[in-house]
Amino acid sequence: MSIFTASDGTRLAYHQRGEGEPLLVLPGGPMRASSYLGDLGGLDAGRRVIRLDLRGTGDSEVPADPATYRCDRLVDDVETLRVHLDLEEMDVLGHSAGGSLAMLYAARFPRRIRRLVLVTANPWALGTTATPEDRLSAARLRKGEPWFEEAFRALEAWLGGIGDPGPELAPLFYGRWDTAARQHDARADDEFNDEAAGVYGSEGAYDPPATRAALSRLTAPVLLLTGELDGAPNPELARRTADVFPHVEVAVQPGGGHYPWLDDPERFAGLVGGFLDDVSPSVGRTPS
């Protein structure tokens, strides 16, 4: 673990694994400690993977002002870390809600992005989100799984405004509900900052027209990777998100859920690593 100091004096932590070209990773949740990302399917085998603990999560300090949890204000922390690392430009990977943070960073600091990877990214920064039918359609792909009926009823109830999402939904986020997935999900309660999550996308966090306009001029290559079985975003939403970027590829990982590096580490690392190394593996990838 290493520490740097944000512009408001908050001490923030980041974790480095591997050697080679740096890859800055922005976690989702929103506001989940970066430990849930693990080694991202072994990406650290060929590069230096740098996971940022967003303020108030993981090993980073809780800020004096909770308003600084807002997504657009977190962009300053990402830029401060880049300066701290003395990087002229860098590869950036954003997962899930972290995809919106990565988009806002790329919109504000386009010259600092070498390549941008958005993994199962929720495009809230663009003013779009998964619909209830997106989630239900993806869930129906799991029919026949032993847990399906209970999970699907819980999903319908939640989407219908009856109750909060419960543990019954967990299998829907993973391509395989195996021991690794169960262990990964069991750590979630300890890794989330619920107060911060409530502020992350609060009023003023996003300006979709401005962000779309800025990203339409981004010269860096972009990869949008989504899981075949994920409902938020599903592959169709990922393809619509791709329309914003001028230089973009979409990869759909077969059998992948919201955490595709757990479902098939080798395939995930091949797709992302190949893109970052400017190699174009054909498996699961379609140009937008």
Side-chain angles (χ1 to χ4, degrees):
M1 181 187 73
S2 302
I3 297 292
F4 70 104
T5 302
S7 58
D8 66 349
T10 306
R11 288 167 56 82
L12 304 180
Y14 62 98
H15 307 263
Q16 301 187 82
R17 299 177 60 151
E19 297 180 354
E21 290 296 319
L23 171 64
L24 177 59
V25 181
L26 305 178
M31 304 307 287
R32 185 172 181 178
S34 70
S35 54
Y36 83 93
L37 295 159
D39 65 358
L40 284 171
L43 276 179
D44 58 342
R47 60 186 57 248
R48 178 164 58 119
V49 175
I50 304 164
R51 296 187 283 105
L52 172 61
D53 278 340
L54 301 177
R55 51 181 54 217
T57 72
D59 294 308
S60 289
E61 284 186 345
V62 172
D65 181 4
T68 60
Y69 289 136
R70 208 173 70 178
C71 186
D72 60 321
R73 299 184 68 174
L74 295 173
V75 171
D76 292 332
D77 292 346
V78 179
E79 175 62 2
T80 301
L81 176 55
R82 181 197 66 80
V83 173
H84 171 79
L85 294 170
D86 195 25
L87 299 174
E88 183 66 23
E89 61 178 9
M90 57 188 178
D91 296 328
V92 175
L93 183 153
H95 172 249
S96 190
S100 279
L101 176 55
M103 291 182 211
L104 292 186
Y105 181 81
R108 195 185 305 177
F109 298 102
R111 295 182 182 178
R112 302 307 183 186
I113 299 288
R114 193 186 80 94
R115 287 179 173 256
L116 178 62
V117 181
L118 301 172
V119 177
T120 61
N122 288 310
W124 302 330
L126 304 177
T128 54
T129 189
T131 67
E133 187 50 41
D134 287 340
R135 293 178 179 272
L136 291 169
S137 294
R140 291 187 187 102
L141 297 175
R142 316 301 297 278
K143 191 172 184 178
E145 300 271 9
W147 45 261
F148 172 79
E149 294 297 339
E150 182 181 22
F152 194 78
R153 285 195 301 270
L155 179 63
E156 286 185 306
W158 172 50
L159 295 175
I162 305 171
D164 296 323
E168 302 85 0
L169 297 180
L172 294 171
F173 289 88
Y174 298 88
R176 298 181 303 182
W177 188 233
D178 56 12
T179 299
R182 289 182 173 88
Q183 291 174 344
H184 186 265
D185 179 66
R187 297 194 298 269
D189 285 345
D190 293 331
E191 293 172 335
F192 272 99
N193 181 331
D194 292 332
E195 177 192 1
V199 178
Y200 188 85
S202 57
E203 184 176 359
Y206 307 125
D207 183 348
T211 302
R212 285 176 174 271
L215 294 179
S216 72
R217 300 186 294 269
L218 184 68
T219 58
V222 179
L223 173 66
L224 272 78
L225 189 153
T226 187
E228 176 190 20
L229 304 177
D230 195 12
N234 64 355
E236 178 54 34
L237 179 55
R239 293 187 180 99
R240 294 200 305 272
T241 301
D243 290 340
V244 173
F245 300 96
H247 308 289
V248 65
E249 294 177 84
V250 176
V252 179
Q253 182 171 312
H258 199 62
Y259 308 98
W261 63 90
L262 290 176
D263 302 316
D264 190 337
E266 184 175 355
R267 187 186 294 264
F268 176 84
L271 286 168
V272 176
F275 171 77
L276 293 174
D277 294 335
D278 198 19
V279 178
S280 298
S282 60
V283 179
R285 181 173 292 181
T286 57
S288 175

